[in-house]
């Protein structure tokens, strides 16, 4: 299990250089490449280009960005202004995942505004590390709270295999440890429950086929990669017991923004009377938004749709699929309305996807 070993974490601090280091997720599953992020520009590029991705990890990366921004601001003519300008750029790097703004704002509120000193840098680094550890702990608790849902499904099948359909990557690569949607799967496997995961490939960047499959294989979890459009067919054939996904932003009324294609899985699950669960830490709730239609949807480079990347010999290469002159659109997320969500799995427990259900677990928010 992915616990405290930094080698199995997607981001950490080099103890000797003080650099932020990441697993470059663009290169997985065929290459394990470690990147140094020694400037805010490098960190912003890593977020925008999806070398790091997944809402909780983007949030933690943003927190480490505050540390880098403070370190750089020390040498500026006007350190407080330079620091604030860098924070605004980090905060805007990706618009949909709310964890990024949350983590930057969380640190900014706890650091002095009038000055930037070496003590500011040290405190930013400490606070970023605290967020990383808290997110890891939250994901572990998500796994523990979600366990009983998988256990109940196994008991209903007389101990038979529980088939779980997931979408995109909501594993430890998208978080710090354990993952969100994968956390209950990992805990169930630890408990000896027989689980099998249907892994959506998740076009256009194939985070399921590349990243979720890689994670599950490392953990010895039975899984099968399927095309994005196979989910409804599998449900109709009785080959899915539940759908379990993560989220990049969820409103306080329960609308869910997740990787494009999630909404279609929720519709298919509803038509087949299957539970549709969303796993998330509290940092992924947007406590300022009620209606999912107000969530900004990131439009990414159309070339991500037009090209696919794969292994050829010893090289990973791009391959053009459609006609060269055909235009493409690339909305990165869609909105699943609360009415299609069976329940949320959070670090505080499981609740209904309603204002009352969420408020019951988070009365302090």
């Amino acid at each position: 299990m992915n616990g405290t070993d930094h080698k199995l974490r997607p981001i950490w601090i080099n103890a000797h250089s003080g650099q932020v280091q990441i697993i470059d997720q663009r290169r997985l599953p065929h290459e394990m490449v470690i990147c140094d992020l020694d400037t805010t520009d490098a960190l912003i590029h890593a977020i925008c280009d999806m070398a790091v991705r997944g809402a909780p990890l983007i949030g933690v990366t943003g927190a480490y960005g505050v540390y880098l921004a403070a370190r750089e601001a020390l040498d500026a003519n006007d350190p407080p202004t330079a620091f604030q300008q860098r924070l605004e750029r980090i905060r805007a790097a990706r618009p949909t995942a709310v964890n990024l703004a949350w983590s930057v704002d969380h640190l900014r509120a706890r650091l002095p505004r009038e000055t930037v000193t070496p003590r500011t840098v040290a405190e930013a680094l400490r606070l970023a590390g605290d967020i990383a550890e808290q997110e890891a702990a939250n994901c572990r608790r998500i796994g523990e709270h979600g366990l009983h849902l998988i256990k109940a499904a196994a008991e209903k099948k007389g101990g038979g295999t529980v088939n779980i359909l997931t979408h995109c990557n909501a594993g430890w690569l998208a978080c710090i440890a354990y993952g969100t949607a994968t956390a209950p799967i990992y805990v169930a496997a630890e408990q000896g429950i027989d689980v099998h995961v249907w892994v959506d490939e998740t076009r256009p960047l194939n985070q399921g086929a590349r990243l979720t499959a890689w994670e599950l294989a490392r953990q010895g979890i039975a899984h099968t990669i399927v095309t994005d459009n196979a989910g409804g067919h599998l449900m109709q054939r009785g080959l899915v017991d539940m759908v379990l996904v993560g989220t990049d932003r969820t409103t306080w009324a329960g609308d869910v923004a997740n990787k494009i294609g999630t909404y279609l899985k929720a519709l298919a699950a509803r038509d087949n009377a299957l539970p549709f669960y969303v796993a998330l830490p509290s940092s992924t709730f947007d406590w300022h938004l009620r209606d999912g239609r107000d969530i900004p949807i990131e439009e990414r480079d159309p070339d991500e749709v037009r090209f696919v990347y794969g292994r050829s010999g010893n090289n990973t290469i791009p391959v053009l699929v459609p006609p060269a002159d055909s235009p493409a659109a690339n909305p990165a997320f869609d909105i699943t309305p609360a009415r299609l969500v069976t329940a949320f799995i959070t670090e505080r427990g499981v609740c209904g996807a309603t204002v009352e259900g969420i408020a019951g677990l988070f009365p302090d928010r």
Side-chain angles (χ1 to χ4, degrees):
M1 174 55 65
N2 170 38
T4 58
D5 182 354
H6 75 74
K7 294 178 183 178
L8 290 179
R9 289 191 171 197
I11 190 168
W12 64 92
I13 292 291
N14 184 304
H16 301 292
S17 68
Q19 289 178 318
V20 180
Q21 293 186 298
I22 61 166
I23 296 174
D24 186 344
Q25 298 188 34
R26 299 167 299 184
R27 309 289 286 273
L28 292 173
H30 305 298
E31 299 175 271
M32 171 66 81
V33 176
I34 306 302
C35 289
D36 296 331
L37 306 180
D38 53 2
T39 67
T40 54
D41 284 344
L43 182 132
I44 290 168
H45 178 73
I47 293 172
C48 292
D49 208 39
M50 295 180 68
V52 294
R53 25 72 52 207
L57 177 58
I58 289 173
V60 171
T61 304
Y64 281 119
V66 175
Y67 152 68
L68 292 178
R71 194 171 69 171
E72 291 174 3
L74 288 175
D75 298 325
N77 292 329
D78 183 354
T81 299
F83 184 39
Q84 186 60 36
Q85 289 173 343
R86 284 169 170 80
L87 296 193
E88 290 171 0
R89 291 179 55 229
I90 294 168
R91 199 177 185 278
R94 290 196 69 188
T96 302
V98 74
N99 301 62
L100 181 56
W102 169 83
S103 66
V104 172
D105 292 347
H106 179 84
L107 263 68
R108 189 70 189 97
R110 286 157 179 77
L111 296 171
R113 291 188 175 274
E114 297 78 16
T115 184
V116 179
T117 67
R119 184 173 179 179
T120 308
V121 177
E123 182 65 3
L125 179 58
R126 184 189 71 80
L127 290 169
D130 288 348
I131 286 181
E133 294 308 316
Q134 186 60 53
E135 290 291 64
N138 285 345
C139 285
R140 175 65 193 190
R141 286 193 286 268
I142 287 170
E144 292 167 350
H145 290 304
L147 170 63
H148 82 269
L149 301 173
I150 299 177
K151 193 178 217 179
E155 291 171 352
K156 186 176 179 180
K157 299 182 75 173
T161 302
V162 178
N163 290 293
I164 301 168
L165 176 69
T166 192
H167 189 66
C168 197
N169 172 258
W172 64 265
L173 285 168
C175 304
I176 294 298
Y178 310 110
T180 54
T182 58
I185 296 169
Y186 290 147
V187 175
E190 288 176 354
Q191 297 291 317
I193 297 173
D194 186 10
V195 294
H196 167 265
V197 183
W198 295 109
V199 179
D200 269 3
E201 59 184 348
T202 319
R203 287 280 294 141
L205 294 179
N206 294 311
Q207 295 100 322
R210 293 190 303 108
L211 304 178
T212 300
W214 182 78
E215 281 194 37
L216 295 173
R218 285 173 64 94
Q219 298 295 338
I221 305 293
H223 63 281
T224 305
I225 299 166
V226 293
T227 64
D228 286 357
N229 290 327
H233 166 76
L234 296 171
M235 294 180 204
Q236 287 178 330
R237 294 298 178 95
L239 299 175
V240 177
D241 297 302
M242 67 179 68
V243 183
L244 181 51
V245 301
T247 171
D248 288 82
R249 185 188 298 213
T250 293
T251 73
W252 57 264
D255 293 342
V256 173
N258 195 47
K259 184 57 59 182
I260 194 77
T262 302
Y263 175 45
L264 297 180
K265 297 300 179 297
L267 287 170
R270 173 60 61 90
D271 191 53
N272 288 275
L274 290 171
F276 182 92
Y277 298 119
V278 178
L280 74 163
S282 55
S283 57
T284 307
F285 278 108
D286 187 333
W287 303 107
H288 302 289
L289 279 186
R290 179 189 180 97
D291 194 327
R293 289 171 295 186
D294 294 328
I295 296 174
I297 300 298
E298 180 181 1
E299 290 279 346
R300 294 187 57 82
D301 188 341
D303 277 352
E304 292 179 353
V305 175
R306 298 173 66 242
F307 289 86
V308 294
Y309 285 79
R311 197 71 168 169
S312 178
N314 293 322
N315 300 309
T316 300
I317 61 171
V319 177
L320 177 66
V321 176
D325 57 353
S326 289
N330 188 15
F333 305 92
D334 59 23
I335 305 298
T336 299
R339 62 183 172 80
L340 297 178
V341 178
T342 305
F344 292 121
I345 310 170
T346 80
E347 75 270 21
R348 295 190 184 182
V350 178
C351 69
T354 63
V355 172
E356 296 77 16
I358 296 167
L361 282 186
F362 298 97
D364 51 320
R365 300 304 176 96

